[in-house]
Amino acid sequence: MPLRIGLIGAGANTRTQHIPGLLRAPDVVLAGVANRSIESGQRIADEFGIARVFDSVEALLADPGIDAVCIGTWPYKHREYSVKALEAGKHVLCEARMAMDLAEAEDMLAASERNPGLVAQLVPAPFDFKLGPTITRLIEEGALGEIREVAVNVLNASALDPAIPLHWRQRADYSGKNVMMFGIFVEVIHRWLGDHADVTASGDIFVKERLDAETGKLLPVTVPDTYIVTGHLERGARITHHFSSVAAGADSNGVTVFGTKATIRWKMGDSAVIQPHGGEATPIVADPGTDRGWKVEEDFVASVRDGAPVQLTSFADGVRYMRVIDAAHESAATGQRVLIRS
């Protein structure tokens, strides 16, 4: 019996990654799609040979011919559709960012815990698929000594031009408390170094309004253009995150981990060096068998079919990074340091 998967929302990542990845898996059928409109759903169905177009998410979830769903909507629908899908007996692969806020993420986790026989997986942060496991091993084995500082820098000019239309990531009504790639890099840091303990955050919106392409109206930008979050990890190290979409010409995007014995400099694109103090920097090469590559859909299908545990990323993992997102949002609003509650 093939695994019959329904698509809820079919944005860019669903079209370029999830649909091709699912179609590569053996005995997987894309059995239906429910998109923002019947017309857009039909276009997806025609392009990828999907059997049915549903006029609502509810109709798709009620269909006994659907075993699992891939949720590719914006974050404002993740909680609603994930919970409904799990309660309807469907396995769930949900796009990152997990939810609008921590409360929604906890609702999603609770629904998965009420249905332990169903797979509940988030699309993981993909940036360190090659070197992440090796960097984690080096840190755990003490190659850097004691970790003292961590610096995360993700700076670009994607929002520098005020004529660039409004994106859903710049609207809190669609993206919630998520800011740029902050949560995704929190997930990466959790893999390498463990959880955050506290945060102090501040952000600015430089372009206050942008043209909404759908309505032709100027709408307010409600998500920061620049965001700085500093604090501590539970292991005691200081960490600073700096994200900006108005910083042209940045040349140091990546993560630097400073230890008492050595420093790791990881760059976007998944390359890295390790440099002992007083020594030469040498490239980090992935340990044999650890370069995962993009296996998101393959992992999801394996979990559904074989009961394999979710490797990257479970709903519980998502709640961990949503705790940090919520705390940073509270800190930016109040100007106060906020402890991360467990």
Side-chain angles (χ1 to χ4, degrees):
M1 169 79 77
L3 178 63
R4 301 163 299 182
I5 297 179
L7 304 176
I8 299 176
N13 211 39
T14 298
R15 296 193 303 273
T16 61
Q17 296 286 2
H18 304 324
I19 292 176
L22 291 168
L23 289 175
R24 284 194 296 269
D27 294 323
V28 169
V29 174
L30 297 182
V33 58
N35 211 14
R36 295 183 75 186
S37 67
I38 289 286
E39 292 76 19
S40 64
Q42 189 63 57
R43 287 194 294 271
I44 296 298
D46 293 342
E47 181 177 357
F48 294 101
I50 299 172
R52 295 187 61 190
V53 178
F54 291 86
D55 60 6
S56 71
V57 172
E58 290 73 19
L60 184 149
L61 293 176
D63 193 307
I66 302 291
D67 304 309
V69 296
C70 175
I71 299 173
T73 66
W74 300 336
Y76 78 121
K77 289 293 187 180
H78 288 181
R79 183 204 64 82
E80 177 186 350
Y81 294 158
S82 293
V83 171
K84 285 181 176 179
L86 290 165
E87 299 297 358
K90 317 295 186 186
H91 304 279
V92 171
L93 173 63
C94 181
E95 189 62 76
R97 305 149 170 90
M98 183 177 186
M100 297 280 277
D101 55 32
L102 177 59
E104 288 196 355
E106 290 176 332
D107 284 349
M108 293 166 66
L109 177 59
S112 71
E113 290 172 340
R114 289 194 300 270
N115 297 277
L118 297 174
V119 174
Q121 178 182 338
L122 298 172
V123 175
F127 305 120
D128 68 332
F129 280 173
K130 180 174 68 174
L131 293 183
T134 305
I135 291 171
T136 301
R137 177 186 62 77
L138 290 169
I139 292 169
E140 290 177 348
E141 291 180 354
L144 277 67
E146 294 293 322
I147 308 302
R148 294 290 185 248
E149 296 260 3
V150 182
V152 180
N153 290 290
V154 182
L155 313 175
N156 60 67
S158 60
L160 188 60
D161 183 353
I164 294 173
L166 186 67
H167 193 278
W168 66 261
R169 291 186 181 91
Q170 297 167 317
R171 294 182 56 168
D173 56 337
Y174 287 151
S175 61
K177 295 178 180 178
N178 300 284
V179 177
M180 290 178 277
M181 288 193 283
F182 174 53
I184 296 173
F185 272 92
V186 168
E187 180 183 350
V188 171
I189 293 301
H190 284 174
R191 293 178 195 162
W192 298 3
L193 293 155
D195 286 8
H196 291 62
D198 63 77
V199 290
T200 303
S202 178
D204 290 290
I205 299 173
F206 292 108
V207 181
K208 307 297 184 184
E209 293 181 321
R210 290 186 183 272
L211 183 69
D212 176 52
E214 285 193 3
T215 65
K217 297 179 180 179
L218 284 173
L219 295 179
V221 175
T222 50
V223 175
D225 295 319
T226 183
Y227 203 50
I228 297 175
V229 184
T230 186
H232 297 88
L233 300 176
E234 287 186 352
R235 67 193 304 142
R238 164 71 71 174
I239 185 165
T240 300
H241 299 261
H242 184 187
F243 295 86
S244 178
S245 57
V246 292
D251 60 1
S252 60
N253 286 338
V255 180
T256 307
V257 184
F258 300 93
T260 56
K261 293 181 180 179
T263 298
I264 284 178
R265 296 180 179 87
W266 175 90
K267 292 184 178 180
M268 293 287 284
D270 212 0
S271 66
V273 297
I274 182 168
Q275 184 170 13
H277 301 332
E280 296 293 324
T282 58
I284 296 175
V285 178
D287 292 335
T290 64
D291 181 353
R292 292 179 55 80
W294 182 276
K295 296 172 58 180
V296 175
E297 301 79 20
E298 178 183 337
D299 287 348
F300 177 65
V301 171
S303 293
V304 172
R305 282 220 174 100
D306 307 328
V310 172
Q311 299 295 318
L312 298 173
T313 296
S314 70
F315 277 21
D317 295 327
V319 167
R320 286 172 61 209
Y321 72 65
M322 289 303 304
R323 288 192 184 111
V324 184
I325 288 171
D326 247 44
H329 187 273
E330 179 184 345
S331 175
T334 63
Q336 302 295 314
R337 169 175 169 264
V338 177
L339 299 176
I340 312 296
R341 69 176 181 84
S342 59

